[in-house]
Amino acid sequence: MISIKSTRAASRRISAWLALAVLLLAGAPQALASDEVAAAKASFQKTVDDTLAILNDKALSKDERLRKLENIAVDRFDFPRMTQLVLGKNRSQLSAEQQREFEEEFRRSLSLTYGKRLETYTSNEKIEIGEGRLEANKDVTVRTRISGGSAPPDGVRIDYRMRANGDKWLVIDVIPEGVSLIQNFRSQVQEIVTQKGVSQLIPTLHEKNESRQAARAS
Amino acid sequence: MSGQVTRAAAALASAAFLACATAQPPLTPTAEGATAAVDSDPWQGFNRSMFWVNDRVLDRFIYAPLAHGWIYITPLTVRTHIDQFFDNLNFPGYFVQPLLQGDPKQSGVALGRFAINTTVGVAGIFDPANHYLGLARRPEDMGQTFGVWGIPPGPYVVLPLIAPTSTLRDIAGLPIDWILNVGDSYFWPWFAPYGETMIRDINRRALFDADLTAAREAAFDWYSAARDAYLQRREDAIRNRNGLETEAPSDDLYQIDESGKSPD
């Protein structure tokens, strides 16, 4: 299209078009998606970048890496809110102190699960951040797909539900292949409360975490 | 023999269930979603015993050891390709079900996948349709179609071997799946049924081994965790049709219950 004999005028016109195209491309995501979606996605992207930086830092020991990842998780996940959601209507039966204990066990359980998961990480995994969706209650769901490396051949679809807390967008649910973590834990909590009574809830969680930790250590 | 008995029983249950289901007004998907995890397990006593048999006897002493042996003698790629081979045989179901769901576009995807993967993909062993054309695998079955029609999942059901986790609705769909989803079918030639289903099931069990172990380890109550995961997966598969992928699950889940005292 562009001939070698292009005049200065033509090249100026081309650079003007290029500048416009760059402007349009840069402006498009913000213009199309709402402010909420853009903010949530930006926050999520940062979490991904920080996580990958730690995962790919080969100088870190296994324990250091896990501790750093836990710090990120505490910073970017809204554990108090997740705890409230998981407890659902059972929350009214727990004191503020018990709710904090529950949150602690819940967090520890996730740390044990994902700590183990990350051991299979090969650094060939790719995470694609897809579209964000503004929910009716102003939460934002960010769709992602992980493929390559330790992921199955068709990849894994993981949605992250985020909610604004002040000016920070924090993850409140992780939904791999349509299975909400919050919903899944909530069912288990309900089951334990129904079967054993609410007084046994925290001891059940605590016991399980202890035995997992012991199995991990040996 | 026992395969025929269970098939006949399921066919009966299927007919009886459909009769009941059509007599009742279908629940709306949101109402169903909101209560799914709580009210859906009236036969829990029976289910828990069957779950125990499946999990602690059949899986622990038969399936898991066989799967571990299989993992030991086959590389992951071989297991992946075997699974793709069986999945490709499910074409009739993957083609017919979307038509019944009013989603002919997805039937076209299934047709394209079958044509490409059976030829270029060497009898379905490879999946060039996904790798080169982005036509991703999407399992479809009768239970999903019932769901799209508005039939609620009904009670949660656990049966040994044939339905490790299921619902009355999905069990009602099984006889049709046995005919249409050939790769998932117990409908293979009478002289070779057990070898085929064994290879398929052990191979699949092997592919999911790490996930299964992780899920079992992470659960505070494994029975309800498995039940909830199944119910959620099914709702997702039903919701997840072309054009409806963006439909959100119920927002109720994300409503913080303020009926109790506040934490601070």
Side-chain angles (χ1 to χ4, degrees):
Chain A
M1 292 283 245
I2 307 161
S3 82
I4 301 164
K5 290 185 283 173
S6 59
T7 63
R8 280 175 68 185
S11 73
R12 209 175 303 141
R13 212 178 316 143
I14 288 162
S15 31
W17 276 111
L18 269 175
L20 184 61
V22 168
L23 267 176
L24 279 175
L25 280 177
Q30 278 85 354
L32 290 175
S34 65
D35 292 350
E36 282 96 342
V37 173
K41 274 181 81 166
S43 160
F44 186 75
Q45 180 72 58
K46 185 167 166 11
T47 305
V48 170
D49 293 345
D50 294 354
T51 307
L52 288 178
I54 292 168
L55 283 173
N56 292 324
D57 185 351
K58 300 290 178 236
L60 293 170
S61 76
K62 211 170 109 182
D63 283 349
E64 282 173 324
R65 181 172 297 140
L66 195 58
R67 204 163 25 247
K68 284 191 171 231
L69 290 168
E70 273 175 6
N71 289 341
I72 291 192
V74 169
D75 190 39
R76 310 291 164 75
F77 283 66
D78 197 336
F79 286 110
R81 247 175 210 176
M82 292 170 88
T83 300
Q84 293 175 334
L85 291 172
V86 165
L87 285 172
K89 63 180 158 69
N90 293 302
R91 190 159 73 99
S92 57
Q93 301 185 61
L94 297 181
S95 69
E97 177 56 28
Q98 285 173 314
Q99 288 180 36
R100 266 189 289 275
E101 281 175 47
F102 182 93
E103 184 187 322
E104 178 60 34
E105 297 295 346
F106 177 56
R107 221 159 62 186
R108 202 169 141 208
S109 160
L110 293 181
S111 164
L112 282 161
T113 303
Y114 290 99
K116 187 156 190 192
R117 258 289 130 99
L118 291 169
E119 285 170 17
T120 62
Y121 176 76
T122 64
S123 81
N124 292 321
E125 289 82 356
K126 268 198 309 247
I127 175 162
E128 257 172 75
I129 301 180
E131 87 237 52
R133 179 179 65 210
L134 186 63
E135 307 290 2
N137 67 354
K138 297 281 179 200
D139 288 350
V140 170
T141 304
V142 178
R143 309 200 111 197
T144 70
R145 175 165 285 279
I146 299 175
S147 55
S150 56
D154 287 358
V156 183
R157 160 171 62 99
I158 305 182
D159 292 355
Y160 292 85
R161 183 140 178 153
M162 304 182 77
R163 184 171 290 179
N165 190 348
D167 57 350
K168 282 182 93 177
W169 281 87
L170 302 174
V171 175
I172 59 163
D173 196 6
V174 183
I175 312 166
E177 296 288 344
V179 179
S180 148
L181 191 91
I182 295 292
Q183 167 82 69
N184 197 265
F185 275 103
R186 184 189 274 200
S187 302
Q188 296 180 59
V189 163
Q190 189 54 51
E191 201 64 43
I192 293 166
V193 169
T194 310
Q195 302 271 328
K196 303 182 182 172
V198 74
S199 63
Q200 287 306 302
L201 181 58
I202 293 164
T204 303
L205 267 61
H206 183 75
E207 216 170 284
K208 175 81 186 191
N209 284 337
E210 288 292 306
S211 79
R212 285 178 79 184
Q213 196 132 38
R216 196 63 53 86
S218 67
Chain B
M1 264 320 169
S2 73
Q4 280 169 347
V5 172
T6 49
R7 234 177 284 156
L12 264 178
S14 174
F17 172 70
L18 282 180
C20 299
T22 43
Q24 285 166 358
L27 289 176
T28 60
T30 38
E32 170 193 326
T35 55
V38 189
D39 303 330
S40 56
D41 195 4
W43 303 331
Q44 185 166 156
F46 172 81
N47 287 340
R48 272 195 185 262
S49 327
M50 290 303 120
F51 188 80
W52 188 87
V53 169
N54 278 332
D55 188 52
R56 306 304 290 276
V57 182
L58 296 175
D59 188 70
R60 187 176 181 186
F61 295 111
I62 301 174
Y63 273 79
L66 285 172
H68 293 152
W70 187 240
I71 290 171
Y72 186 73
I73 59 172
T74 55
L76 175 61
T77 45
V78 168
R79 299 194 293 274
T80 304
H81 292 311
I82 288 175
D83 194 58
Q84 281 166 356
F85 167 78
F86 283 118
D87 188 70
N88 190 52
L89 297 175
N90 288 341
F91 161 69
Y94 293 0
F95 178 77
V96 171
Q97 299 299 349
L99 283 182
L100 297 175
Q101 295 167 15
D103 186 4
K105 208 172 129 196
Q106 180 60 29
S107 295
V109 170
L111 183 63
R113 278 181 56 80
F114 183 70
I116 294 160
N117 288 349
T118 307
T119 53
V120 183
V122 195
I125 294 169
F126 299 93
D127 191 356
N130 188 22
H131 292 304
Y132 299 109
L133 301 173
L135 300 176
R137 175 208 294 216
R138 207 180 85 191
E140 291 291 343
D141 55 63
M142 198 66 219
Q144 287 182 46
T145 300
F146 287 153
V148 171
W149 291 349
I151 298 175
Y156 178 70
V157 186
V158 181
L159 296 175
L161 292 174
I162 56 165
T165 62
S166 198
T167 59
L168 199 53
R169 176 192 64 203
D170 295 341
I171 286 175
L174 281 181
I176 308 288
D177 297 330
W178 285 334
I179 295 166
L180 289 178
N181 294 16
V182 183
D184 280 347
S185 161
Y186 291 80
F187 199 69
W188 279 51
W190 60 269
F191 48 85
Y194 297 109
E196 180 273 336
T197 54
M198 273 306 250
I199 292 173
R200 183 205 65 203
D201 289 352
I202 299 298
N203 188 62
R204 197 160 287 172
R205 171 67 181 75
L207 279 175
F208 290 125
D209 188 63
D211 289 332
L212 187 65
T213 309
R216 195 186 267 145
E217 197 208 300
F220 292 119
D221 181 79
W222 175 220
Y223 170 82
S224 57
R227 179 189 63 198
D228 175 77
Y230 177 79
L231 295 176
Q232 285 202 59
R233 284 288 289 139
R234 294 299 288 175
E235 275 190 39
D236 181 70
I238 290 163
R239 211 169 36 229
N240 211 4
R241 283 174 295 150
N242 282 344
L244 292 175
E245 281 97 344
T246 51
E247 203 173 281
S250 168
D251 265 356
D252 294 355
L253 175 61
Y254 300 102
Q255 202 103 54
I256 289 171
D257 194 300
E258 297 295 356
S259 62
K261 46 187 175 264
S262 79
D264 298 301

